[in-house]
Amino acid sequence: MNKYLQLFRIGNVVMGIIGVAVASFMASGTEIVDHWVGLLISVLVVFMFISGGNALNDSIDAEIDKTAHPERPVPSGRMTAAEAKRIGVMMLVGSVLASFLTLDPVCISIVVIACVLMFSYELFLKQRGFVGNLTIAALTGMTFLMGGAVVSNAEGNAIVALMAMLVSVGREISKDIEDMESDEGRVTLPMRIGVRNASIVASMFFIAGPVLSVVPMILDTYGWPYYLVIIADAMFVYCAYIVFSSPHKAQSTAKKAMFVALIAFILGVIF
């Protein structure tokens, strides 16, 4: 694979672009066609942001990746860490500059904050465990806010953004429990408070998402297919239970549950 495409993790980029497009549709429905310019700009922003974040990550984790991911451009010797760092910084700064094309202060603010969080995470929050978990979860939720902002309806995606953030925290903690023995240079939540207490915290976040999913039902925000979110809610509750015995299964199931919840939101908008 081309070293730049591999550096950017093009698969993640494509998923991010799909995510922001879906988020825009959730916030605007069929009126999304009236916002095609903003949508195209958001695609550019997401491409540069995710690519930049991955490049910065590879420059910082160059030594670790010699063992964990030796096929990547930096550890394989096809690119220097300094070059990856320059590309990462340029792409992240470029995403901020591209956001100004929207002429929307909300969009610009979201991208600026996201870039600050990304730089902070890669430079020092990654090693701080729970704070790093919160940062990744916030970036996940901001994808939905960005998608809503480009169609002038960021508030329309506020609930789904918060839901995504909450369950993402649970999933990130589950991953830290799973990787506890192999983590180096990090002080994760399970390391600080023990596996059982960390599992309790993760389960609380897994349950918080389903609790919040009731709000659109009360407000009658979406059409009847939205009630399919109950399936996702049940999956998250299961994650809250299984995380104590199998953190790997919990984080894997949570990923599937997030997809089911997304489908429920989309169908709720359509119908």
Side-chain angles (χ1 to χ4, degrees):
M1 180 185 289
N2 178 276
K3 64 180 181 180
Y4 295 106
L5 294 180
Q6 192 172 13
L7 179 72
F8 296 159
R9 313 247 239 287
I10 198 64
N12 291 350
V13 172
V14 171
M15 290 302 297
I17 289 173
I18 292 173
V20 77
V22 168
S24 295
F25 176 75
M26 289 167 58
S28 62
T30 56
E31 293 180 7
I32 191 173
V33 295
D34 298 327
H35 301 275
W36 64 272
V37 174
L39 188 59
L40 288 177
I41 294 173
S42 71
V43 167
L44 175 61
V45 169
V46 170
F47 167 73
M48 300 186 78
F49 178 80
I50 296 179
S51 298
N54 286 331
L56 186 63
N57 173 267
D58 276 16
S59 71
I60 294 173
D61 289 349
E63 288 301 316
I64 297 175
D65 285 346
K66 286 182 179 179
T67 302
H69 302 285
E71 77 287 351
R72 288 181 178 173
V74 176
S76 67
R78 290 178 291 148
M79 182 181 294
T80 65
E83 184 181 359
K85 184 178 181 179
R86 284 196 298 272
I87 293 172
V89 172
M90 287 174 58
M91 293 294 273
L92 287 170
V93 172
S95 70
V96 172
L97 296 177
S99 71
F100 278 85
L101 296 174
T102 66
L103 303 178
D104 187 312
V106 176
C107 287
I108 296 169
S109 299
I110 290 172
V111 178
V112 169
I113 293 171
C115 282
V116 170
L117 290 177
M118 180 62 78
F119 275 114
S120 300
Y121 177 77
E122 291 296 345
L123 294 176
F124 55 88
L125 293 183
K126 185 191 302 185
Q127 290 75 32
R128 296 179 181 271
F130 186 58
V131 177
N133 297 153
L134 294 176
T135 304
I136 292 299
L139 289 171
T140 299
M142 290 176 76
T143 299
F144 294 96
L145 294 181
M146 179 64 184
V150 297
V151 294
S152 303
N153 188 23
E155 64 277 10
N157 280 352
I159 293 296
V160 66
L162 186 54
M163 286 174 60
M165 289 173 62
L166 291 171
V167 296
S168 290
V169 174
R171 184 167 181 266
E172 290 297 316
I173 295 173
S174 298
K175 289 164 65 177
D176 281 348
I177 296 172
E178 180 184 3
D179 298 337
M180 192 171 175
E181 293 184 1
S182 60
D183 269 331
E184 296 182 6
R186 299 181 65 216
V187 182
T188 62
L189 188 66
M191 290 178 182
R192 286 182 180 276
I193 66 176
V195 171
R196 178 169 176 78
N197 289 333
S199 298
I200 292 173
V201 176
S203 67
M204 291 172 63
F205 278 99
F206 279 137
I207 292 173
V211 170
L212 195 61
S213 72
V214 176
V215 175
M217 298 179 189
I218 296 174
L219 299 178
D220 197 26
T221 307
Y222 302 104
W224 64 266
Y226 171 71
Y227 282 83
L228 290 172
V229 78
I230 294 174
I231 299 174
D233 291 346
M235 295 172 71
F236 284 127
V237 172
Y238 175 70
C239 292
Y241 168 75
I242 201 67
V243 68
F244 291 91
S245 58
S246 179
H248 172 75
K249 192 170 184 178
Q251 64 97 357
S252 177
T253 302
K255 190 173 183 178
K256 295 181 179 69
M258 292 170 75
F259 179 75
V260 173
L262 194 60
I263 294 298
F265 274 100
I266 293 172
L267 292 178
V269 171
I270 295 174
F271 297 99

